[in-house]
Amino acid sequence: MNESLYLPRIAVLKDKRAETSDTVTFTFGLPEGGNLNNIPGQCLQLTVFGYGEAPISITSSPTKKDCFQLCVRDVGNVTKALHKLEIGDKIGVRGPWGNGFPIEELKGKNAVFIAGGLGLAPLRSLINYIADNRRDYGKVWILSGARTPKDHLFKWEWDRWSKIDGFEVLTTVDRGDDTWTGNVGVVGSLLYKTDIQVENTMVFICGPPIMFHFVTMDLAKLGFKDDMILSTLERHMKCGVGKCGHCNVGSKYVCMDGPVFTYAEMKKQPGAL
Ligand SMILES: Cc1cc2nc3c(=O)[nH]c(=O)nc-3n(C[C@H](O)[C@H](O)[C@H](O)COP(=O)(O)OP(=O)(O)OC[C@H]3O[C@@H](n4cnc5c(N)ncnc54)[C@H](O)[C@@H]3O)c2cc1C
Ligand code: FES
C-alpha cells in the first residue's frame, strides 16, 4: 500500500505568485525537504484544514528539487480558502497519484503542447521536465491560448522557454486589448503558423472540452494519429484511490488509470469526451 495516497502529509507555503486576477501559483516545501518525486502530469489531493480536499495537478517538474508548485484558480470552497493562506501556513497533501505523462515513451520524440487557459498548469510540469532533460527529447512547440491577455498564465516563463534550443512558443488570445500585439484567434489556429512536424511527434492538450474538440479536428487534418494525442481528464473526485467510483469514466477510474489518456483510449470510453 502506498500510504501517501491515504494519509495527508504536511506541506508549508513558501511563496505565492499571482498569475491572473483569480489564479495563483503556490510554492510549497515539505518539512523533511525535497519534493514530491512526482511524474509530470500527476496530481494530488490538496487539503485546506477545516475546508476539505480538492484534486489539483502538480505544475512543477520533479527536477525542481526543493519544493513543489500548484497553480490554482479560486472557484469554490477549498480553493478560496487556499488563496487566503499566508506564507508559513500549512496544508495537507495526499499523493502524488495518477499515471502522469509517458516520459519514457516520449524520449527521442518531439512534443507539441496545446493549452487553453488553466490547461497550461499540468502541461508546464512536462515542459519544464523536458527543459531540464533537454538532450533526451526532440523539438518542443508550446501553443497557449487564453480568452484575453490578462488571462494568460505563466507569462513569466515564455521568455525563458523561447530561449531554450529547439523550443518555440506561440501565444494567442480570443480578444485582444491595447497591450496585445500578438495573435488573435483560437489556439488551434497557431498550428498553421509554424512548421510542426507530424512524424515522431506526440501532442499534449489541456483545456476546455470545446477547445479539445476543435484542436483534435485540426490535428487530424494535419495527419496526427489518435494514439499520438494525449490529454488529461478532469472528473469529480473524492477518494483518489479507486474506491468511491466518483471519477469513473467507462471502464476506467480517472484517479487510478488516468488522468492522462490518449485520444484513442478516450474514444473507447463512453462519457470521456
Ligand atoms: C485531475 C484534476 C486536476 C485538477 N487540477 C487543477 C489545477 O491544477 N488547478 C485548479 O485550479 N483546479 C484543478 N482542478 C479542478 C479543481 O479540483 C476543482 O475546481 C475543485 O472543485 C475545486 O474545489 P473547491 O472546493 O475550491 O470548489 P467547489 O466548492 O467544489 O466548487 C467547484 C465549482 O462548483 C461551483 N459551486 C460550488 N458550490 C456551488 C453551489 N452551491 N451551487 C452551484 N455551484 C457551486 C463553483 O462555482 C465551482 O465552479 C483539477 C481537477 C481534477 C479532477
Ligand atoms: S476518486 Fe474515488 S474512485 Fe477515483
Side-chain angles (χ1 to χ4, degrees):
M1 183 181 84
N2 180 353
E3 286 196 346
S4 70
L5 294 178
Y6 292 82
L7 296 173
R9 304 155 77 175
I10 297 294
V12 181
L13 183 58
K14 290 169 70 168
D15 187 51
K16 288 165 89 169
R17 180 195 277 256
E19 301 286 350
T20 68
S21 60
D22 61 2
T23 305
V24 169
T25 297
F26 298 87
T27 302
F28 293 97
L30 296 168
E32 65 273 26
N35 63 20
L36 292 170
N37 288 322
N38 55 299
I39 301 166
Q42 281 188 308
C43 305
L44 52 71
Q45 290 289 116
L46 157 84
T47 302
V48 181
F49 298 112
Y51 292 88
E53 278 194 316
I56 301 291
S57 307
I58 304 165
T59 186
S60 50
S61 161
T63 47
K64 196 167 176 64
K65 293 288 177 206
D66 58 344
C67 62
F68 66 93
Q69 292 173 318
L70 309 175
C71 178
V72 183
R73 180 160 294 159
D74 172 354
V75 294
N77 188 35
V78 174
T79 49
K80 196 168 285 305
L82 176 74
H83 277 243
K84 287 188 184 142
L85 294 186
E86 292 176 4
I87 306 302
D89 285 345
K90 292 180 178 141
I91 60 159
V93 291
R94 285 198 294 128
W97 53 258
N99 53 358
F101 294 117
I103 48 177
E104 288 304 315
E105 194 189 335
L106 183 62
K107 275 192 179 158
K109 298 191 177 76
N110 309 307
V112 181
F113 294 95
I114 307 176
L118 194 55
L120 191 53
L123 296 181
R124 177 175 171 257
S125 63
L126 181 55
I127 294 169
N128 282 341
Y129 184 85
I130 294 175
D132 290 339
N133 292 283
R134 191 68 203 97
R135 278 183 300 180
D136 291 341
Y137 299 95
K139 287 191 194 165
V140 171
W141 293 270
I142 301 166
L143 279 47
S144 181
R147 276 174 302 174
T148 73
K150 290 190 181 82
D151 296 313
H152 266 297
L153 304 180
F154 304 113
K155 282 182 272 212
W156 49 280
E157 292 272 48
W158 293 356
D159 196 36
R160 185 177 73 85
W161 286 339
S162 47
K163 285 185 181 140
I164 300 171
D165 190 28
F167 273 49
E168 188 177 347
V169 180
L170 292 102
T171 58
T172 187
V173 291
D174 295 344
R175 289 187 312 281
D177 63 14
D178 296 346
T179 65
W180 184 257
T181 53
N183 292 297
V184 177
V186 292
V187 68
S189 63
L190 297 176
L191 284 165
Y192 304 96
K193 292 195 182 280
T194 183
D195 57 342
I196 288 174
Q197 196 179 310
V198 176
E199 197 63 30
N200 202 35
T201 301
M202 295 177 87
V203 185
F204 301 88
I205 311 174
C206 275
I210 186 76
M211 178 206 113
F212 184 83
H213 175 76
F214 285 108
V215 164
T216 47
M217 285 183 3
D218 285 320
L219 291 167
K221 266 190 234 158
L222 291 171
F224 282 97
K225 300 273 179 287
D226 293 349
D227 59 354
M228 295 299 266
I229 301 172
L230 294 93
S231 188
T232 59
L233 282 183
E234 284 200 12
R235 287 295 182 273
H236 284 295
M237 301 221 171
K238 287 283 178 203
C239 69
V241 292
K243 303 285 183 204
C244 72
H246 272 83
C247 68
N248 172 253
V249 172
S251 62
K252 306 278 183 192
Y253 285 144
V254 173
C255 66
M256 301 303 282
D257 305 309
V260 178
F261 294 93
T262 66
Y263 186 34
E265 287 167 335
M266 288 183 191
K267 279 183 164 172
K268 286 186 209 149
Q269 300 303 327
L273 293 168

